[in-house]
């Protein structure tokens, strides 16, 4: 899932696709339009296929990747990667459904673009149900609500991630050497609680969110991308060395922990918001379906490889973020700090989305004289909310699973298949297509309910049962 999903021009095109009036593609195979049905013109200064692929990768790779090894532990060394593969296929299919429906409404309504919320609203207006048509505007509102929950949830995850990694680095500072031997024991120095680290980070994060120009934020986003890329290379080279005998690892874990796997996995795969703006900005939109398949194949391969190798390398000791399992030598301490650097600046990019939804309508209610002050105060309040929620749920694995189960499952799995039924039912749909869409939505809904329940049960577990990721540890 990711962290960089915004166009640099404005928020309103966050999930939209430009199409000429005559450019709606009919339904094609695999949920896409046939390439020859694209009649829209690409933008003169649009992105190339290579740039679009890079943006797609950036939009799907984030902190969720680092939590996938623990997710595989919750599913099993065999069931976990197989489930990731299936979820990747379903997620790509749902992305294709969203693009197809957006094109359909652009053509039918003679609009230049339709965003995610707009597509759901127009889909409800197309249904035979008079009640749904009357209340269609709630489709846009519900999508907007889940989008806000998702983005603020990402921000909560970032607070916990930063606190956990900084605490571990500081705790091991006195014992950190150049010796990266995996069997070296490091005694952690007692330090303050991770929640105090979150409070210490709060002023810096607030100042960061005062940057409201996306062109400026794009510079920080680029730095974050470089930091994360270098960190992943170092992580990979460590976990592929010295993998122990995996015969003791279960092929399938207890079903009670599988919902936690679902929440973490769908958190990582929730990149559906990136597809429409990327397709919109391409010089040649006909290439987008192929780019989507290639890009998501790379993403899924990365997810499966890191999750399996990470679990094989650390076994039952795998922690909420694989960075917390790295040795406490200067090289890997630098990796933790480098990834934390990337996540810190990514916070502002993710925060931009809910801020642009919530703040402008409220600022419009006050005089222009006080608008700037209200704007800043609302930003402080929103950042404060994400910090408080992170303090209340200071477990990285549970925060990721909860955000994934509650909001990511709705945006990535539940809404797109229902949107396809709403859009095309009146025009006639094959019963198998309807059954497929209902099955996907039911799968997402079951994951939403059970995943949320299990995450809340884990959250309510006694403190003594919680693994403190920054306590004394043997590396």
């Amino acid at each position: 899932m990711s962290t960089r999903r915004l166009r640099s021009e404005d928020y309103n095109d966050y999930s939209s696709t430009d199409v000429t009036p005559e450019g709606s593609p009919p339904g094609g195979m695999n949920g896409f339009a046939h390439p020859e049905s694209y009649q829209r013109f690409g933008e003169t200064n649009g992105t190339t296929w290579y740039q679009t692929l890079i943006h797609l990768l950036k939009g799907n790779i984030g902190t969720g990747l680092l939590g996938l090894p623990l997710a595989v532990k919750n599913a099993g060394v065999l069931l976990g990667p197989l489930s990731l593969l299936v979820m990747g296929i379903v997620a790509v299919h749902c992305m294709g459904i969203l693009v197809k429906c957006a094109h359909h409404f652009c053509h039918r309504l003679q609009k230049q673009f339709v965003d995610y919320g707009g597509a759901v609203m127009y889909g409800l207006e197309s249904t035979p149900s008079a009640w749904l048509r009357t209340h269609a505007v709630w489709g846009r509102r519900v999508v907007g609500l889940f989008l806000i929950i998702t983005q603020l949830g990402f921000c909560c995850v970032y607070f916990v991630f930063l606190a956990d990694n900084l605490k571990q680095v500081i705790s091991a500072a006195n014992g950190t050497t150049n010796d990266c031997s995996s069997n070296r024991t490091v005694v952690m120095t007692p330090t303050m609680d991770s929640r105090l680290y979150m409070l210490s980070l709060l002023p810096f994060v607030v100042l960061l969110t005062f940057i409201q120009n996306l062109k400026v934020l794009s510079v920080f986003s680029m730095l974050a991308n470089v930091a994360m890329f270098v960190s992943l290379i170092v992580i990979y080279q460590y976990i592929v060395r010295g993998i122990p005998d995996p015969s003791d690892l279960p092929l399938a874990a207890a079903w009670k922990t599988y919902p936690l796997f679902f929440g973490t996995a769908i958190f990582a795969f929730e990149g559906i918001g990136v597809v429409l703006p990327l397709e919109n900005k391409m010089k040649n939109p006909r290439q987008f379906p192929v780019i989507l398949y290639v890009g998501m194949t790379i993403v899924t391969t990365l997810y499966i490889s890191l999750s399996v190798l990470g679990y094989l390398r650390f076994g039952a000791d795998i922690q909420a973020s694989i960075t917390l399992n790295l040795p406490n030598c200067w090289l890997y301490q630098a990796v933790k700090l480098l990834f934390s650097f990337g996540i810190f600046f990514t916070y502002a990019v993710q925060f931009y989305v809910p801020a642009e939804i919530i703040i402008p309508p409220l600022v419009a209610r006050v005089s222009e004289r006080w608008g700037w002050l209200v704007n800043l105060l609302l930003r402080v309040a929103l950042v404060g909310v994400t910090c408080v929620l992170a303090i209340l749920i200071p477990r990285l694995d549970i925060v990721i699973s909860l955000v994934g189960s509650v909001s990511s499952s709705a945006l990535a799995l539940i809404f797109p298949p229902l949107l396809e039924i709403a859009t095309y039912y009146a025009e006639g749909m094959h019963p198998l297509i309807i059954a497929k869409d209902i099955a996907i939505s039911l799968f997402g809904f079951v994951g939403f309910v059970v995943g949320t329940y299990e995450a809340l049960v884990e959250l309510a577990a006694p403190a003594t049962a919680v693994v403190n990721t920054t306590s004394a540890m043997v590396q």
Side-chain angles (χ1 to χ4, degrees):
M1 191 237 54
S2 179
T3 60
R4 294 151 293 280
R5 307 182 183 186
L6 299 169
R7 289 182 52 185
S8 59
E9 286 79 14
D10 60 33
Y11 164 73
N12 292 329
D13 195 59
Y14 173 72
S15 58
S16 62
T17 180
D18 286 340
V19 199
T20 56
E22 67 274 19
S24 171
M29 293 189 62
N30 300 320
F32 281 108
H34 292 294
E36 60 269 19
S37 67
Y38 280 85
Q39 300 298 322
R40 51 156 282 196
F41 297 100
E43 295 194 7
T44 304
N45 297 321
T47 56
T48 64
W49 70 268
Y50 175 76
Q51 292 170 324
T52 303
L53 177 62
I54 295 299
H55 288 308
L56 181 65
L57 295 176
K58 290 193 299 183
N60 283 275
I61 298 175
T63 52
L65 171 65
L66 302 180
L68 286 177
L70 179 61
V72 168
K73 175 187 174 182
N74 288 328
V77 72
L78 177 62
L79 182 60
L82 289 178
S83 298
L84 281 174
L85 178 61
V86 172
M87 292 183 72
I89 294 172
V90 174
V92 175
H93 179 69
C94 289
M95 292 175 186
I97 289 175
L98 180 59
V99 172
K100 183 179 71 170
C101 292
H103 281 211
H104 176 84
F105 290 119
C106 285
H107 170 68
R108 198 176 79 180
L109 302 173
Q110 303 291 291
K111 289 181 173 290
Q112 282 193 318
F113 67 86
V114 173
D115 62 17
Y116 196 160
V120 173
M121 181 179 71
Y122 296 134
L124 293 177
E125 290 177 350
S126 304
T127 62
S129 170
W131 188 88
L132 288 177
R133 291 197 301 270
T134 303
H135 298 83
V137 68
W138 281 96
R140 179 188 291 278
R141 293 171 181 171
V142 170
V143 170
L145 175 63
F146 275 98
L147 182 59
I148 291 173
I149 294 174
T150 300
Q151 299 302 126
L152 292 181
F154 292 160
C155 293
C156 293
V157 170
Y158 297 160
F159 262 114
V160 181
F161 178 89
L162 290 170
D164 280 355
N165 281 271
L166 289 178
K167 181 178 180 181
Q168 189 182 80
V169 170
I170 294 174
S171 297
N174 290 336
T176 301
T177 67
N178 293 323
D179 181 10
C180 293
S181 173
S182 59
N183 59 1
R184 190 174 65 87
T185 300
V186 175
V187 179
M188 298 294 194
T189 303
T191 183
M192 60 184 180
D193 189 272
S194 62
R195 288 167 287 196
L196 295 179
Y197 279 92
M198 297 179 202
L199 287 176
S200 302
L201 290 166
L202 180 59
F204 302 99
V205 176
V206 166
L207 292 175
L208 181 66
T209 59
F210 285 170
I211 302 174
Q212 302 175 42
N213 188 321
L214 271 182
K215 291 184 178 180
V216 176
L217 288 178
S218 65
V219 176
F220 293 118
S221 179
M222 181 187 66
L223 295 175
N225 295 337
V226 173
M228 292 180 182
F229 179 73
V230 173
S231 299
L232 282 177
I233 292 177
V234 178
I235 291 172
Y236 262 103
Q237 66 84 28
Y238 177 75
I239 62 177
V240 296
R241 295 184 287 115
I243 295 179
D245 182 8
S247 59
D248 293 335
L249 301 178
L251 297 179
W255 286 105
K256 183 176 178 59
T257 59
Y258 190 83
L260 298 176
F261 162 84
F262 173 87
T264 304
I266 199 60
F267 177 93
F269 272 115
E270 202 284 302
I272 195 167
V274 77
V275 296
L276 291 180
L278 289 182
E279 191 270 350
N280 167 45
K281 288 296 292 180
M282 286 193 68
K283 289 181 180 178
N284 185 3
R286 294 184 183 89
Q287 299 175 331
F288 185 73
V290 176
I291 292 172
L292 181 60
Y293 282 128
V294 171
M296 292 308 296
T297 298
I298 295 173
V299 169
T300 304
T301 302
L302 179 64
Y303 284 0
I304 293 176
S305 61
L306 184 68
S307 61
V308 173
L309 290 173
Y311 182 41
L312 291 177
R313 178 66 177 82
F314 299 111
D317 295 326
I318 189 67
Q319 301 198 44
S321 169
I322 195 172
T323 56
L324 299 174
N325 284 98
L326 297 177
N328 290 303
C329 64
W330 287 116
L331 172 62
Y332 297 109
Q333 296 293 65
V335 168
K336 298 170 191 176
L337 293 176
L338 197 60
F339 216 102
S340 297
F341 170 84
I343 292 300
F344 174 76
F345 286 113
T346 297
Y347 184 104
V349 182
Q350 292 288 15
F351 180 82
Y352 185 88
V353 176
E356 287 299 298
I357 296 176
I358 297 173
I359 294 177
L362 297 177
V363 171
R365 295 175 178 268
V366 301
S367 64
E368 186 175 349
R369 176 184 177 185
W370 298 103
W372 68 274
L373 180 60
V374 173
N375 185 349
L376 296 182
L377 290 176
L378 288 173
R379 289 175 179 275
V380 173
L382 284 176
V383 175
V385 167
T386 62
C387 183
V388 169
L389 291 176
I391 289 174
L392 293 176
I393 315 175
R395 290 184 57 189
L396 183 60
D397 55 334
I398 299 302
V399 176
I400 291 177
S401 184
L402 191 59
V403 173
S405 298
V406 170
S407 56
S408 298
S409 60
L411 293 174
L413 297 179
I414 300 176
F415 293 160
L418 296 180
L419 172 62
E420 184 175 38
I421 295 176
T423 302
Y424 296 105
Y425 184 80
E427 302 176 11
M429 295 180 66
H430 195 284
L432 289 179
I433 300 296
I434 297 176
K436 176 265 299 179
D437 287 341
I438 292 175
I440 293 175
S441 287
L442 283 178
F443 172 70
F445 182 75
V446 171
F448 166 81
V449 174
V450 180
T452 302
Y453 172 77
E454 286 298 333
L456 293 176
V457 168
E458 285 292 314
L459 182 62
T464 55
V466 176
V467 177
N468 189 334
T469 59
T470 55
S471 59
M473 157 174 84
V474 175
Q475 295 288 4

